[in-house]
Amino acid sequence: QKEVEQDPGPLSVPEGAIVSLNCTYSNSAFQYFMWYRQYSRKGPELLMYTYSSGNKEDGRFTAQVDKSSKYISLFIRDSQPSDSATYLCAIWAGNMLTFGGGTRLMVKP
Amino acid sequence: EPEVTQTPSHQVTQMGQEVILRCVPISNHLYFYWYRQILGQKVEFLVSFYNNEISEKSEIFDDQFSVERPDGSNFTLKIRSTKLEDSAMYFCASSDLRQPYGYTFGSGTRLTVV
């Protein structure tokens, strides 16, 4: 059973666009929902995390969780070329992080 | 901002050789982890370590692998007899008691087994 699924992309958008990145998960025991950004050949960098269903905003980034549908999203407003990276969703269930495969985002100037 | 430091950044080794990957977690963190990422694949959990012992390990973490915290600052991953399929990026991470889910990852060690 694939626990965390994510569209690999690549997703190419023009600068200034709103970006929507999505993941689905299968295990109801998952507790915390994280979004990481990973640049090529670097470690994942934590962007945001959330616990409950609903939205959480941090600057241009909004994380959304729908536990009833087992669906999580990350929205990026006013996307910038520097946002070009791979975005990983990850879910924590008390002992480890389980990652999605990542979506590669390219923001073109 | 505090960082997790990993050395070396790249290691090439011959099949069958032993390698040790080194990590210096953030100083006040108590939970330590190793993950790996084979090129083009997901970041996969290997092992978690707390209170000087392994708290969880995956199926990947077989007898060829071991972890150690030899002193108050270092956290190492040893692969006893490397195989070609061990070639991957290996990431160390740490987290603290207040937010055990808030991992900080290092930049990784790229291991190439030839």
Side-chain angles (χ1 to χ4, degrees), chain B:
Chain B
E1 184 153 341
E3 289 184 340
V4 173
T5 304
Q6 289 187 244
T7 54
S9 57
H10 186 200
Q11 175 136 13
V12 181
T13 189
Q14 292 210 326
M15 192 169 51
Q17 294 297 302
E18 175 183 287
V19 295
I20 297 176
L21 310 183
R22 302 181 191 279
C23 170
V24 179
I26 293 173
S27 61
N28 63 340
H29 283 186
L30 298 178
Y31 297 96
F32 313 114
Y33 312 90
W34 284 100
Y35 282 73
R36 80 172 185 189
Q37 187 175 30
I38 294 171
L39 188 64
Q41 297 187 24
K42 291 183 178 183
V43 177
E44 300 175 290
F45 170 74
L46 291 178
V47 65
S48 59
F49 192 87
Y50 171 70
N51 201 25
N52 283 320
E53 61 183 24
I54 291 173
S55 47
E56 190 88 29
K57 61 182 180 179
S58 71
E59 293 176 353
I60 303 167
F61 195 88
D62 60 21
D63 292 342
Q64 296 290 338
F65 292 88
S66 62
V67 289
E68 194 177 35
R69 188 154 162 83
D71 53 42
S73 59
N74 290 284
F75 180 51
T76 61
L77 174 70
K78 182 193 289 187
I79 309 174
R80 285 188 185 78
S81 178
T82 49
K83 302 187 279 279
L84 293 175
E85 54 265 37
D86 294 327
S87 296
M89 284 289 285
Y90 287 81
F91 295 109
C92 173
S94 67
S95 62
D96 66 20
L97 269 178
R98 290 182 302 112
Q99 292 184 348
Y101 45 84
Y103 294 18
T104 300
F105 282 86
S107 289
T109 293
R110 182 155 63 105
L111 177 65
T112 303
V113 182
V114 297

Side-chain angles (χ1 to χ4, degrees), chain A residues 46-68:
Chain A
L46 182 63
L47 283 174
M48 297 181 67
Y49 70 88
T50 186
Y51 173 75
S52 57
S53 283
N55 294 350
K56 181 178 180 181
E57 192 172 315
D58 184 0
R60 295 186 295 112
F61 298 89
T62 299
Q64 186 177 79
V65 176
D66 182 347
K67 287 188 176 181
S68 62

Side-chain angles (χ1 to χ4, degrees), chain A residues 71-93:
Chain A
Y71 196 84
I72 62 173
S73 300
L74 178 71
F75 299 97
I76 307 174
R77 290 185 300 280
D78 188 25
S79 56
Q80 302 295 309
S82 58
D83 294 328
S84 298
T86 296
Y87 289 80
L88 307 169
C89 63
I91 306 179
W92 189 77

Side-chain angles (χ1 to χ4, degrees), chain A:
Chain A
Q1 185 182 21
K2 296 183 179 180
E3 293 198 281
V4 183
E5 288 300 301
Q6 193 173 1
D7 187 332
L11 181 60
S12 181
V13 301
E15 183 175 354
I18 296 174
V19 175
S20 172
L21 304 166
N22 307 295
C23 282
T24 58
Y25 65 95
S26 58
N27 188 344
S28 299
F30 287 143
Q31 298 174 343
Y32 282 85
F33 305 90
M34 343 289 284
W35 284 97
Y36 283 83
R37 179 173 61 197
Q38 186 177 28
Y39 294 110
S40 181
R41 297 192 183 279
K42 296 291 186 184
E45 171 196 8
L46 182 63
L47 283 174
M48 297 181 67
Y49 70 88
T50 186
Y51 173 75
S52 57
S53 283
N55 294 350
K56 181 178 180 181
E57 192 172 315
D58 184 0
R60 295 186 295 112
F61 298 89
T62 299
Q64 186 177 79
V65 176
D66 182 347
K67 287 188 176 181
S68 62
S69 303
K70 298 190 180 70
Y71 196 84
I72 62 173
S73 300
L74 178 71
F75 299 97
I76 307 174
R77 290 185 300 280
D78 188 25
S79 56
Q80 302 295 309
S82 58
D83 294 328
S84 298
T86 296
Y87 289 80
L88 307 169
C89 63
I91 306 179
W92 189 77
N95 49 17
M96 72 181 81
L97 280 177
T98 301
F99 282 88
T103 299
R104 186 170 158 226
L105 172 66
M106 295 183 292
V107 182
K108 298 186 174 180

